[in-house]
Amino acid sequence: MSGQPAYLGADTVDKYLDYQTLIPLLERALINFSSGREGGVVQPIRTIVPVAKYSGFLGVMPAYSTMDDALTTKVVTFYENKTASDVPSHQATVLLFEPSNGSLKAVIDGKVITDKRTAAVSVIATKLLKPSSAEVLCILGSGAQAHSHYQAFTQQFSFKEVRIWSRTRENAEKFANSVEGNVRVCSTPQEAVTNADVIVTATMSTKPVLYGDWVKPGAHINALGACRPDWRELDDILMKNSVLYVDTKEAAQKESGDIVLSGASVYAEIGEILKGTKPALAEKTTIFKSVGMAIEDTVSAKLVHDCWVKSKAGD
Ligand SMILES: NC(=O)C1=CN([C@@H]2O[C@H](COP(=O)(O)OP(=O)(O)OC[C@H]3O[C@@H](n4cnc5c(N)ncnc54)[C@H](O)[C@@H]3O)[C@@H](O)[C@H]2O)C=CC1
Ligand SMILES: O=C([O-])C1=[NH+]CCC1
């Protein structure tokens, strides 16, 4: 190995990952992923190690992009019950390797990458699937993903109203006070989603928080939680009466409790819609169920590293 690997912390990652750059990069990655061998993405289903004693999980997410010549693995932990309020429920590190010889080039904070790339992918899905006139955005949950989705969505779309619901009103109010712009705090999830055009479910719930009976026909839902086969965020009615899109069919059908337990069938990967091999069906009620993909971390980490190397060269 030539020299020590670099360490790029959260501030550096945050500085170089802007949505304007990230969104087209991730669109390409999603297309490559859904293009089979031709797309040059190697991404096995992630390995998840349950840490049952503490209701936690450790996930290992490797990927190689031939097109980007980028090789990484993310190691992510997520815990159902936060033990201390200053420890995030999700923590992650991305290891970036030199693909030509396997040397470790950099250790990169993975928390900001996870927060931002997940929101950017939801933006991509929403651009394709939202109703033509989308005025009301609703976010269920007030944690890290709720914040990154708020930032990305208010930057990329112009909603007339944004609503938030969280398990405690205090958390929802804290969220509303911490962001720029007006956010309506709602007391129940039903109040928050009624007549919403775009809904984001960003909770750690293991039981449904969003019910089909509440959702306006034609709305678009980005569902990012419930990444375990026995966890739910959405009820059976919503799952069965909507058109279902995923990031990866293989992983979603194994990991997503909303899919496994409802028996709903997947219509398409978002990469297939971006490629144009399947039509978007935006006039229907649509769900983008994401479980998160390693290749999203790979291209994001490479972007951060490339920007950092360029900045050093200019020093
Ligand atoms: N699809 C993807 O690519 C990714 C998905 N995620 C998932 O997104 C979800 C949110 O993640 P973070 O914002 O990082 O977590 P967080 O811990 O920062 O926030 C979780 C939110 O869920 C709420 N919550 C917890 N239990 C609940 C329950 N039983 N009912 C309703 N609300 C509940 C909390 O009060 C909090 O507002 C998690 O399920 C996580 O696993 C996270 C990273 C990537
Ligand atoms: O893609 C990801 O990093 C994760 N998805 C669910 C938990 C973490």
Side-chain angles (χ1 to χ4, degrees):
M1 184 159 60
S2 58
Q4 292 293 311
Y7 177 74
L8 308 186
D11 289 349
T12 306
V13 176
D14 198 36
K15 181 165 139 193
Y16 295 127
L17 276 193
D18 64 88
Y19 289 112
Q20 220 48 39
T21 317
L22 200 49
I23 287 168
L25 192 74
L26 288 167
E27 280 174 344
R28 268 202 312 280
L30 292 166
I31 290 172
N32 289 341
F33 175 76
S34 295
S35 299
R37 194 182 273 270
E38 216 176 88
V41 172
V42 184
Q43 179 190 282
I45 293 195
R46 63 190 157 204
T47 299
I48 301 280
V49 177
V51 190
K53 185 173 172 185
Y54 302 104
S55 303
F57 298 88
L58 178 138
V60 183
M61 302 174 61
Y64 174 60
S65 166
T66 313
M67 303 289 187
D68 300 280
D69 199 25
L71 176 67
T72 63
T73 190
K74 182 167 83 175
V75 183
V76 58
T77 56
F78 52 102
Y79 278 66
E80 274 183 72
N81 304 309
K82 293 206 281 179
T83 45
S85 58
D86 57 340
V87 177
S89 60
H90 292 62
Q91 299 176 74
T93 303
V94 180
L95 304 179
L96 176 75
F97 297 92
E98 168 50 49
S100 63
N101 62 13
S103 294
L104 179 63
K105 288 207 290 195
V107 176
I108 306 177
D109 174 86
K111 168 81 179 130
V112 177
I113 288 180
T114 303
D115 292 348
K116 286 193 161 181
R117 62 73 154 150
T118 307
V121 171
S122 295
V123 164
I124 292 168
T126 303
K127 284 189 174 171
L128 297 166
L129 301 173
K130 73 175 174 56
S132 52
S133 160
E135 299 190 338
V136 179
L137 169 69
C138 161
I139 301 176
L140 303 182
S142 59
Q145 289 291 341
H147 275 91
S148 60
H149 278 70
Y150 177 83
Q151 298 303 345
F153 276 62
T154 52
Q155 190 189 99
Q156 296 294 318
F157 303 101
S158 19
F159 292 103
K160 287 196 178 147
E161 185 183 345
V162 182
R163 303 176 191 161
I164 180 99
W165 169 83
S166 195
R167 269 185 311 176
T168 65
R169 193 170 173 95
E170 191 191 345
N171 279 345
E173 276 169 1
K174 220 187 266 174
F175 179 98
N177 291 331
S178 71
V179 298
E180 276 176 33
N182 283 335
V183 176
R184 178 176 140 196
V185 173
C186 296
S187 304
T188 64
Q190 183 171 5
E191 178 195 339
V193 304
T194 299
N195 281 323
D197 301 295
V198 175
I199 300 169
V200 173
T201 60
T203 75
M204 281 290 277
S205 186
T206 56
K207 305 220 159 56
V209 291
L210 180 60
Y211 289 81
D213 286 345
W214 303 343
V215 173
K216 175 170 152 180
H220 171 65
I221 297 131
N222 298 289
L224 21 140
C227 66
R228 300 292 302 149
D230 56 347
W231 291 5
R232 300 295 297 262
E233 268 192 324
L234 315 181
D235 80 336
D236 280 355
I237 293 178
L238 186 55
M239 289 303 294
K240 292 216 168 123
N241 293 344
S242 310
V243 186
L244 180 59
Y245 305 76
V246 294
D247 40 9
T248 147
K249 278 181 201 157
E250 191 187 17
Q253 285 166 344
K254 179 178 175 229
E255 295 181 347
S256 160
D258 287 326
I259 296 177
V260 173
L261 299 174
S262 70
S265 31
V266 174
Y267 167 68
E269 288 178 351
I270 283 299
E272 295 178 278
I273 307 298
L274 286 167
K275 269 186 356 164
T277 47
K278 287 214 174 146
L281 310 181
E283 69 286 359
K284 310 254 191 204
T285 305
T286 51
I287 298 173
F288 171 49
K289 169 65 233 164
S290 73
V291 291
M293 297 209 293
I295 197 65
E296 300 161 0
D297 302 311
T298 306
V299 298
S300 305
K302 182 172 191 294
L303 169 67
V304 170
H305 188 256
D306 287 351
C307 291
W308 177 77
V309 168
K310 220 186 258 172
S311 80
K312 299 291 282 176
D315 278 352

